[in-house]
Amino acid sequence: MSGRIEVQQRASPPPADRPLVSVIVPTRNRAPLLARSVMSVLGQSWRNLELIVVDDGSTDDTAAVLAAVDDPRLRVLRRQQGSSAAAARNAGIGAARGSYLAFNDDDDIWLPHKLERQMSALLAAPAGFGLCLCGRLLLAPGRAALISGAARAGELDFRRGNGRGGPDYALIATPSWVVRRSALEAVGGFDERLVTWEDWELALRLWQQYDVLVLDEPLYVQDQLAGGHLFRLERAKADALRVIEDKHGALWAHDRRVRARHQYVIGLALSLHEPRPAGRAELWHSLRLHPWSAKTLTALFLTCVPDAWSRRTASLLRRLRATIHRATVA
């Protein structure tokens, strides 16, 4: 196992040779947002790139938006039936010609020097570094925040599993990535069974075999005002975490709190989106691993009251938690 995390706070000098970087952007029915994402990639100071937009079954004006872009570095892959972000990214990887790969979401914006900063750092690093991450500027309802890489790099210990105390998804989100193609091919692409957390699962595999370089500098804008997250499905968290547990559970098998968090996440998702008594067994399992957890006791209680009342209470608690979180990080 590798898993060394190194933070770089000074920019590396630009390299003499600039290898081709393949940038992959999956999209589906986001025509009003897509143009700015595309132009932020094509406007990079690192010019030797190809941009592969994977149109995953769009039925809006996406084709017209892309046709209006006059740049030979743009390539468009059109898929007739929409699938998932994981499958769309894998399609882009399969078509890529570059020896380095990067990703953007259709609602996020790269700063002009993002690729140059990350490629300069990765090319100057030893070959054992397979992945380079960066910080970001966050635009969210009611707040804006600068999330530096150094401040969060200590949280990139994947043995902490999912949830509070686990890896920081601000860093693991794919717009933060530049990855060596050889590293990605060694561990395999995105797991297409996952509709959510596919970036975390692939980063976990990379972390187990390669070192990770984290740049302190925020290099892209994550816009949750205009777009939100690509293909967000809350119910899918239960299925995704079960797959991740099957593949990587040995990493946190010794940690009862991590296992309890995972059972809680699965149980909560099932209880909110499936008929009773779905999720109750997982919540009981979580409680046995971590007795007297207030949030688990609350979720378990809500599986025993009338369904309509339970859903209203759960919605209120989620809004309250979001409000507290925004106040904490602001």
Side-chain angles (χ1 to χ4, degrees), residues 27-35 38 53 55 57-69 76 78:
T27 189
R28 183 196 303 156
N29 292 334
R30 308 289 286 279
L33 301 174
L34 180 59
V38 166
V53 175
D55 182 356
S58 293
T59 57
D60 63 356
D61 293 332
T62 293
V65 168
L66 295 172
V69 178
V76 180
R78 290 191 170 87

Side-chain angles (χ1 to χ4, degrees), residues 9-91:
Q9 295 181 311
R10 292 184 178 180
S12 299
D17 295 324
R18 298 197 168 205
L20 179 67
V21 180
S22 296
V23 184
I24 297 161
V25 176
T27 189
R28 183 196 303 156
N29 292 334
R30 308 289 286 279
L33 301 174
L34 180 59
R36 65 179 192 174
S37 172
V38 166
M39 299 314 294
S40 77
V41 173
L42 295 175
Q44 291 292 298
S45 58
W46 185 282
R47 303 297 296 169
N48 191 21
L49 63 84
E50 62 171 0
L51 171 58
I52 302 171
V53 175
V54 184
D55 182 356
D56 199 34
S58 293
T59 57
D60 63 356
D61 293 332
T62 293
V65 168
L66 295 172
V69 178
D70 184 16
D71 194 314
R73 296 174 299 168
L74 172 63
R75 300 168 58 197
V76 180
L77 297 182
R78 290 191 170 87
R79 294 159 61 86
Q80 296 304 313
Q81 291 187 329
S83 50
S84 67
R89 292 190 184 104
N90 282 343

Side-chain angles (χ1 to χ4, degrees), residues 160-180:
R160 296 178 180 176
N162 175 278
R164 188 180 300 276
D168 188 314
Y169 298 104
L171 294 178
I172 296 172
T174 50
S176 171
W177 294 24
V178 173
V179 60
R180 296 184 195 269

Side-chain angles (χ1 to χ4, degrees), residues 141-155:
R143 70 187 180 101
L146 187 156
I147 313 295
S148 74
R152 302 295 181 92
E155 299 174 27

